[in-house]
């Protein structure tokens, strides 16, 4: 028997033993609770949003609930009798009252399959239609908790801010969103890939249609089902595009590229300065929703190993990854992606139309603040220009922007690497080694999930890909979408201090149409020192 299967079997055996133990404990707790009279409802925090009692949640809370923490085990201990701490004591008492109001039952650490009251709503990933597939339900509200079929919380990393808002009393935890008039501004119709469980595993392809396709679950059954995708229209305004129009490299067509409204002076009069241009776009924000069996297969590992890693290496944040092997969907606390569409969105799935694509991973320092140590912003702007030209030729352009800051290592790690590079000799031969010394790996973006958004949009081929990345190219082609032409960034667009990055990437296998870099060449490519920036 393979080691991974043996470990999984051992874990499942231990879970069964825990289930018997927790059922016995639950029976004792229920008997104890029944012998006590319930306390009356408490008033919500003054000054905040009124929060109704959650006593109904006590009946919905299932087993493996630990007794509520004693005053001696809370993070903020009971105040002393000193007058100087009387205000703190009052605040603590108030917050304890609110905690009882918000969470009237014992703490539920986790759940197990087949225990009393649990009946996950049916969810068949990759089903032919939305009704058969079923909604994604991760809510712990009383109306949904027994029927949860997903682990985690909506809104990715922003779920933490929602929890803070509830704790502070500014958000009612039972608030029911009004989704009227929020339907997609442009249609993103069902594609055959939506019914293929191997093509889309990292988000819910029905996520933008939740209020329409799961109306019964929302309105009749009262389940807390939420959209995980939103599609809208907008105008994009970039000073670099203004400059390209002034230079004549882009032309206003009144459809894709529009003249901006006149500028206004500080005194309110109309300015005579050139207002520049705007780009008419459609865009979709997509939150992560992982189908764990599919994600594991995509990365070539077992589902059991994936679950264990996600549990252990997030500080044990999601115990149900271990205790609920029957739940196959996980909403991870990571950043989303945004798809920016230039031209008619319907052309994305039309093989007769030309399609230009850039897949861009977030770089806050360059994309927003113009750092010149990398090529991210100029490459992004160049891709937007190419998308505009493609749309003006009768095709369609697409830029997919992923929140994977610093090669998914994070901005802190990225800045530490910058420091090492500048202090240790910033040459191209040390470029990737510097990252590995700090992070232990040179890249954690792992592009295996990236093509999902292309399949969601019905893309079957890519005419022009504005990217040098071999990992992105291999992932897209490997998913069944051919790429006919690749672009590298033109030499004249390279920022002054980015030569180290580009040469290191080309030597590592990144695409370049006319430049070959050897290991010997890398030593000669040296970046600017800090001293050179001090004037």
């Amino acid at each position: 028997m393979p080691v991974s299967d043996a470990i999984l079997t051992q874990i499942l055996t231990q879970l069964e033993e825990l289930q018997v133990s927790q059922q016995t404990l639950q029976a004792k707790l229920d008997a104890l609770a029944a012998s006590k009279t319930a306390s009356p409802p408490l008033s919500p925090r003054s000054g905040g949003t009124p929060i109704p009692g959650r006593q109904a949640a006590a009946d919905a809370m299932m087993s493996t609930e630990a007794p509520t923490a004693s005053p001696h085990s809370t993070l903020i201990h009971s105040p002393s009798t000193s007058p100087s701490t009387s205000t703190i004591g009052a605040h603590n008492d108030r917050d304890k009252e609110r905690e009882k109001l918000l969470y009237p039952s014992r703490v539920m650490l986790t759940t197990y399959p087949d225990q009393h009251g649990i009946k996950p709503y049916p969810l068949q990933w990759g089903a032919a239609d939305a009704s058969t597939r079923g909604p994604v339900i991760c809510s712990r509200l009383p109306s949904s908790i027994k029927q949860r079929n997903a682990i985690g919380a909506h809104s990715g990393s922003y779920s933490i801010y929602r929890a803070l808002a509830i704790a502070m009393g500014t958000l009612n935890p039972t608030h029911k969103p009004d989704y009227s008039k929020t339907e997609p501004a442009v249609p993103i119709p069902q594609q055959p890939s939506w019914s293929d469980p191997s093509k889309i595993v990292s988000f819910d392809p029905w996520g933008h249609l939740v209020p329409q396709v799961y109306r019964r679950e929302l309105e009749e059954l009262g389940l807390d089902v939420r959209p995980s995708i939103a599609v809208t229209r907008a105008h994009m305004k970039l000073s670099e595009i203004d400059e390209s129009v002034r230079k004549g490299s882009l032309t206003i067509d009144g459809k894709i590229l529009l003249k901006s409204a006149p500028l206004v002076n500080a005194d309110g009069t109309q300015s005579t300065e050139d207002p520049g241009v705007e780009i008419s776009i459609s865009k979709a924000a997509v939150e992560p929703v992982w189908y764990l069996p599919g994600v594991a297969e995509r990365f070539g590992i077992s589902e059991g190993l994936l679950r264990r890693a996600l549990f252990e290496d997030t500080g044990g944040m999601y115990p149900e990854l271990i205790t609920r092997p029957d739940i196959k969907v996980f909403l991870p606390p990571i950043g989303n992606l945004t798809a920016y569409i230039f031209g008619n969105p319907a052309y994305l799935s039309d093989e007769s139309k030309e399609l230009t694509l850039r897949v861009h991973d977030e770089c806050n320092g360059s994309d927003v603040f113009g750092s010149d140590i990398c090529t991210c912003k100029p490459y992004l702007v160049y891709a937007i220009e190419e998308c505009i030209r493609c749309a003006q030729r009768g095709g369609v352009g697409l830029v997919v922007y992923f929140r994977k800051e610093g090669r998914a290592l994070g901005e802190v790690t990225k800045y530490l690497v910058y420091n090492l590079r500048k202090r240790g000799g910033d040459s191209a031969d040390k470029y990737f080694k510097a990252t590995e010394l700090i992070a232990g790996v040179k890249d954690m973006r792992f592009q295996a999930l990236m093509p999902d958004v292309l399949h969601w949009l019905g893309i079957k081929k890519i005419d022009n890909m504005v990217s040098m990345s071999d990992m992105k190219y291999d992932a897209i082609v490997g998913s069944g979408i051919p790429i006919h032409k690749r672009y590298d960034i033109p030499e004249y667009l390279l920022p002054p201090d980015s030569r180290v990055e580009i040469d290191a990437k080309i030597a590592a296998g990144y695409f370049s149409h006319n430049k070959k870099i050897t290991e010997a060449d890398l030593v000669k490519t040296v970046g600017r020192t800090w001293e050179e920036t001090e004037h």
Side-chain angles (χ1 to χ4, degrees):
M1 177 182 292
V3 175
S4 58
D5 291 343
I7 293 174
L8 182 58
T9 300
Q10 183 181 1
I11 292 172
L12 291 175
T13 300
Q14 292 173 348
L15 290 180
E16 291 172 358
E17 294 173 355
L18 285 172
Q19 184 176 355
V20 174
S21 176
Q22 63 84 21
Q23 286 173 345
T24 302
L25 176 61
Q26 181 64 40
K28 293 179 180 179
L29 291 173
D30 290 342
L32 180 63
S35 66
K36 296 183 178 180
T37 56
S39 59
L42 301 172
S43 301
R45 174 178 177 177
S46 60
T49 302
I51 299 178
R54 271 186 167 181
Q55 191 56 46
D59 299 326
M61 294 293 181
M62 287 77 71
S63 60
T64 56
E65 296 170 326
T68 302
S70 68
H72 300 290
S73 63
T74 54
L75 292 177
I76 303 178
H77 296 284
S78 298
S80 68
T81 57
S82 171
S84 63
T85 60
S86 59
T87 303
I88 297 176
H91 285 188
N92 285 346
D93 291 341
R94 180 199 63 193
D95 288 347
K96 288 177 182 177
E97 295 285 302
R98 279 185 45 75
E99 183 178 352
K100 291 178 182 178
L101 175 65
L102 284 166
Y103 313 108
S105 71
R106 296 176 298 275
V107 177
M108 184 178 67
L109 297 177
T110 191
T111 59
Y112 296 87
D114 302 324
Q115 69 187 78
H116 178 72
I118 287 184
K119 189 178 180 180
Y121 202 87
L123 193 155
Q124 182 183 339
W125 198 268
D129 57 81
S131 178
T132 305
R133 204 294 301 275
V136 172
I137 305 169
C138 64
S139 172
R140 291 167 63 99
L141 288 176
S143 63
S144 302
I145 191 167
K146 292 185 177 182
Q147 300 189 70
R148 288 168 63 243
N149 57 20
I151 301 165
H154 282 292
S155 300
S157 58
Y158 293 101
S159 61
I160 303 301
Y161 293 101
R162 182 178 186 275
L164 285 175
I166 292 172
M168 294 169 63
T170 58
L171 173 63
N172 184 336
T174 61
H175 169 71
K176 185 176 181 180
D178 180 0
Y179 294 123
S180 59
K181 300 183 180 179
T182 65
E183 62 272 9
V186 295
I188 305 292
Q190 182 181 2
Q191 302 293 335
S193 57
W194 296 16
S195 303
D196 185 340
S198 68
K199 289 296 185 185
I200 302 176
V201 300
S202 61
F203 62 87
D204 179 6
W206 299 97
H208 59 309
L209 301 174
V210 162
Q212 292 78 42
V213 299
Y214 296 120
R215 187 183 303 275
R216 174 177 172 272
E217 285 80 1
L218 279 164
E219 298 181 359
E220 296 180 23
L221 302 183
L223 297 175
D224 187 11
V225 188
R226 301 187 177 226
S228 57
I229 299 175
V231 183
T232 189
R233 298 171 61 187
H235 280 192
M236 180 184 289
K237 179 73 173 173
L238 296 172
S239 60
E240 292 87 353
I241 302 300
D242 291 343
E243 186 62 24
S244 293
V245 171
R246 293 187 186 108
K247 290 179 177 179
S249 59
L250 286 175
T251 58
I252 298 173
D253 65 338
K255 185 177 180 181
I256 306 299
L257 206 53
L258 317 169
K259 191 71 175 177
S260 294
L263 300 174
V264 178
N265 297 317
D267 61 2
T269 60
Q270 184 171 308
S271 172
T272 58
E273 292 184 15
D274 179 13
V277 296
E278 298 170 13
I279 315 162
S280 178
I281 61 167
S282 306
K283 56 184 180 179
V286 182
E287 292 176 358
V289 179
W290 286 7
Y291 176 58
L292 292 171
V295 172
E297 182 179 0
R298 197 74 67 82
F299 287 120
I301 59 177
S302 70
E303 182 186 342
L305 176 56
L306 174 65
R307 286 174 176 268
R308 186 66 182 268
L310 291 172
F311 169 70
E312 295 285 359
D313 293 299
T314 59
M317 189 180 292
Y318 299 100
E320 286 175 317
L321 287 166
I322 302 298
T323 65
R324 294 299 303 274
D326 59 314
I327 294 182
K328 300 297 184 181
V329 173
F330 173 51
L331 281 65
I334 60 175
N336 65 305
L337 69 87
T338 308
Y340 295 89
I341 305 169
F342 303 79
N344 189 340
Y347 290 175
L348 291 167
S349 58
D350 186 344
E351 292 186 81
S352 70
K353 303 296 183 180
E354 182 185 5
L355 190 154
T356 295
L357 168 72
R358 174 157 178 82
V359 175
H360 191 93
D361 294 322
E362 178 183 26
C363 178
N364 184 63
S366 177
D367 297 342
V368 179
F369 293 100
S371 171
D372 72 346
I373 199 172
C374 64
T375 61
C376 295
K377 183 174 185 176
Y379 218 158
L380 177 59
V381 172
Y382 175 63
I384 290 172
E385 292 184 354
E386 288 299 299
C387 286
I388 292 170
R389 294 185 183 101
C390 184
Q392 290 179 332
R393 291 194 296 266
V396 62
L398 175 66
V399 172
V400 184
Y401 195 93
F402 282 87
R403 269 58 176 196
K404 296 180 182 178
E405 176 64 59
R407 300 192 204 131
L409 299 169
E411 200 164 28
V412 169
T413 296
K414 182 165 74 171
Y415 286 8
L416 293 174
V417 172
Y418 287 169
N419 288 349
L420 175 59
R421 286 173 55 187
K422 293 304 181 183
R423 290 190 176 111
D426 190 14
S427 57
D429 63 312
K430 300 176 183 177
Y431 177 79
F432 287 115
K433 293 176 184 177
T435 303
E436 290 176 330
L437 283 172
I438 302 295
V441 62
K442 67 181 182 181
D443 198 324
M444 290 201 307
R445 286 174 291 181
F446 304 131
Q447 303 292 349
L449 302 178
M450 175 267 293
D452 286 16
V453 65
L454 309 181
H455 292 288
W456 177 63
L457 294 167
I459 293 174
K460 302 175 185 66
K461 54 84 185 172
I462 296 163
D463 297 283
N464 314 300
M465 183 173 178
V466 189
S467 174
M468 297 171 67
S469 171
D470 54 333
M471 291 185 293
K472 293 174 183 177
Y473 176 86
D474 292 343
I476 292 172
V477 174
S479 76
I481 300 176
I483 297 174
H484 298 155
K485 180 183 177 182
R486 301 170 71 181
Y487 291 65
D488 49 356
I489 186 170
E491 285 283 327
Y492 71 90
L493 292 178
L494 292 179
D497 202 26
S498 67
R499 185 83 257 176
V500 169
E501 174 203 31
I502 284 295
D503 283 3
K505 287 182 174 180
I506 293 173
Y510 277 52
F511 171 76
S512 176
H513 76 281
N514 64 357
K515 188 166 187 177
K516 301 297 180 183
I517 301 290
T518 66
E519 290 294 328
D521 295 328
L522 294 180
V523 181
K524 303 173 185 177
T525 304
V526 179
R528 183 181 57 221
T529 65
W530 278 333
E531 289 73 21
E532 292 177 83
T533 66
E534 297 173 357
H535 302 292

